[in-house]
């Protein structure tokens, strides 16, 4: 019997719980957030963030929720027949990525960007690389240069709208898929009649799930569309998209801080709870939906801090 463990943030665990809604079981092991049993796999998520997948279908199920260890992912890619064309990194590619999905404060930003093969050396020269290895000030300076060089589409989902969609029952995964599809469509429109060699999406859901999210949408293009985790290091187009998305996120974040009257905190840790409690104290609870992603566990924690500390 297979056995796979992932470590997830609480908002992701909540998303999983919604996803497995019809498979939830009532009897919860100690310390667990939810337990579910599908025909091929048992899933138990713990308050510690650990999510345990057990059973014959556990690898497939776990892969829906992202990154296993690198070696495991490589093996799975080969087994699943996911491949990229040879010398993929040298092709003309539209890449897409999103930012802000794990941050309690601030919007979700999605960018698709087109990098032609001739531009690759220039982008390297300008310092375009995996944005996880770049600091905010580097990202801002690189973004300012590349935004005039590469055709791109930026979609910003502000907090009010995000909360509305989320409340209507849309998962974060589906929201991402809609925005990626739209941004890619915009870029294809901008560069037409030119066609990219390929489209590469930084993978947030398995390919089938991505298209399932889009089942009621006009899918812009299916040919030559590839999905890869850590796609920023697979092609510079995704790295460029990621830098532009982070740049937009950082700017919105600064504006939100100005509106709040103090510097907000990125991520979803305990400092974020403190900041949100302060925001509730200063602006009132009704101001919250314009600043945060309400379905994160941080909302409850912030309320509880607010009640203890400020009232
Ligand atoms: Mg990504």
């Amino acid at each position: 019997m297979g056995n796979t463990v992932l470590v997830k943030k609480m908002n992701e665990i909540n998303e999983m719980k919604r996803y497995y809604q019809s498979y939830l079981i009532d009897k919860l092991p100690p310390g667990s957030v939810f337990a579910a049993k599908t025909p091929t796999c048992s899933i138990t998520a713990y308050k510690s963030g650990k999510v345990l997948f057990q059973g014959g279908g556990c690898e497939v199920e776990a892969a829906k929720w992202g990154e296993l260890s690198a070696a495991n992912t490589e093996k799975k890619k080969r087994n699943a027949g996911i491949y990229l064309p040879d010398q993929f990194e040298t092709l003309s590619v539209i890449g897409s990525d999103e930012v802000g999905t794990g941050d309690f404060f601030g919007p979700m930003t999605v960018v698709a960007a087109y990098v032609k093969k001739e531009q690759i050396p220039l982008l390297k020269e300008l310092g375009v690389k995996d944005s996880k290895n770049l600091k905010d000030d580097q990202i801002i300076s690189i973004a300012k240069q590349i935004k005039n060089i590469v055709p791109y589409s930026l979609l910003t989902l502000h907090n009010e709208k995000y909360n509305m969609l989320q409340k209507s029952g849309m998962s974060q995964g589906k929201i991402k898929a809609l925005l990626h599809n739209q941004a890619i469509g915009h870029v294809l429109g901008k560069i037409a009649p030119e066609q990219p060699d390929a489209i590469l999406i930084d993978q947030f859901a398995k390919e089938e799930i991505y298209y399932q999210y889009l089942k009621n949408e006009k899918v812009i293009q299916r040919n030559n569309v590839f999905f890869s985790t850590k796609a920023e290091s697979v092609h510079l187009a995704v790295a460029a998209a990621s830098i532009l998305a982070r740049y937009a996120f950082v700017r919105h974040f600064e504006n939100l801080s100005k509106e709040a009257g103090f510097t907000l905190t990125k991520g979803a840790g305990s400092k974020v709870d403190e900041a949100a409690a302060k925001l509730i104290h200063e602006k009132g609870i009704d101001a919250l939906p314009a600043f945060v992603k309400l379905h994160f566990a941080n909302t409850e924690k912030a309320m509880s801090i607010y009640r203890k500390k400020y009232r």
Side-chain angles (χ1 to χ4, degrees), residues 97-98 132 202 232:
D97 198 7
E98 81 284 330
K132 291 185 190 74
D202 188 40
E232 289 174 80

Side-chain angles (χ1 to χ4, degrees), residues 51-98:
V51 186
L52 178 63
F53 296 80
Q54 289 170 297
C58 75
E59 288 216 3
V60 176
E61 216 50 59
K64 288 179 188 168
W65 303 100
E67 299 163 29
L68 305 172
S69 72
N72 224 334
T73 309
E74 272 315 302
K75 199 171 111 205
K76 190 175 308 300
K77 259 189 206 164
R78 280 201 305 279
N79 290 347
I82 298 169
Y83 76 100
L84 292 170
D86 275 351
Q87 311 225 293
F88 188 84
E89 68 282 3
T90 65
L91 300 179
S92 298
V93 168
I94 292 178
S96 68
D97 198 7
E98 81 284 330

Side-chain angles (χ1 to χ4, degrees), residues 9-283:
K9 293 191 186 126
M10 204 41 71
N11 61 309
E12 295 171 300
I13 289 180
N14 288 333
E15 193 186 336
M16 290 168 126
K17 186 175 174 184
R18 272 191 298 281
Y19 181 86
Y20 292 112
Q21 219 159 33
S22 49
Y23 297 109
L24 293 179
I25 50 180
D26 293 335
K27 203 166 179 310
L28 295 180
S32 66
V33 182
F34 76 86
K37 194 167 171 44
T38 76
T40 58
C41 179
S42 297
I43 302 118
T44 315
Y46 292 92
K47 286 178 188 140
S48 64
K50 280 203 177 125
V51 186
L52 178 63
F53 296 80
Q54 289 170 297
C58 75
E59 288 216 3
V60 176
E61 216 50 59
K64 288 179 188 168
W65 303 100
E67 299 163 29
L68 305 172
S69 72
N72 224 334
T73 309
E74 272 315 302
K75 199 171 111 205
K76 190 175 308 300
K77 259 189 206 164
R78 280 201 305 279
N79 290 347
I82 298 169
Y83 76 100
L84 292 170
D86 275 351
Q87 311 225 293
F88 188 84
E89 68 282 3
T90 65
L91 300 179
S92 298
V93 168
I94 292 178
S96 68
D97 198 7
E98 81 284 330
V99 167
T101 55
D103 296 277
F104 183 51
F105 287 112
M108 179 191 290
T109 56
V110 175
V111 169
Y114 180 47
V115 172
K116 282 200 225 213
K117 53 177 165 239
E118 303 84 56
Q119 293 176 313
I120 292 171
L122 172 62
L123 292 190
K124 277 189 185 157
E125 187 75 19
L126 292 174
V128 176
K129 60 180 170 193
D130 191 337
S131 70
K132 291 185 190 74
N133 301 324
L134 295 168
K135 297 207 180 74
D136 279 355
D137 56 335
Q138 291 173 303
I139 284 174
I140 291 168
S141 101
I142 296 169
K144 281 183 177 163
Q145 298 180 73
I146 61 174
K147 74 189 174 68
N148 301 317
I149 300 174
V150 299
Y152 73 97
S153 164
L154 160 69
L155 299 176
T156 303
L157 184 59
H158 291 285
N159 295 84
E160 296 269 16
K161 182 83 188 287
Y162 176 96
N163 289 323
M164 243 173 58
L165 293 176
Q166 200 280 326
K167 218 174 166 183
S168 78
M170 206 180 270
S171 69
Q172 203 187 54
K174 178 157 183 178
I175 296 174
K176 286 183 203 175
L178 293 174
L179 294 177
H180 276 260
N181 185 48
Q182 228 179 70
I184 290 165
H186 290 164
V187 176
L188 282 167
K190 276 188 189 177
I191 66 172
E194 190 174 332
Q195 287 269 344
D197 297 325
I199 293 172
L200 179 63
I201 298 173
D202 188 40
Q203 185 172 331
F204 54 86
K206 281 183 84 183
E207 186 170 352
E208 311 89 88
I209 307 278
Y210 177 80
Y211 289 117
Q212 201 178 307
Y213 285 143
L214 296 176
K215 66 176 185 290
N216 298 323
E217 303 296 312
K218 185 173 182 296
V219 178
I220 307 299
Q221 179 173 327
R222 278 174 193 261
N223 285 342
N224 294 320
V225 179
F226 299 91
F227 296 80
S228 171
T229 54
K230 303 198 171 54
E232 289 174 80
S233 49
V234 175
H235 196 284
L236 277 192
V238 179
S242 178
I243 287 170
L244 290 166
R246 179 150 292 281
Y247 172 57
F249 179 81
V250 167
R251 277 192 326 183
H252 284 295
F253 205 90
E254 283 167 0
N255 287 336
L256 279 183
S257 286
K258 266 184 216 147
E259 275 173 47
F262 60 97
T263 305
L264 300 171
T265 309
K266 298 201 182 80
S270 56
K271 288 207 173 117
V272 167
D273 303 332
E274 293 286 344
K278 184 173 174 186
L279 187 69
I280 296 168
H281 174 61
E282 289 180 9
K283 301 270 175 192

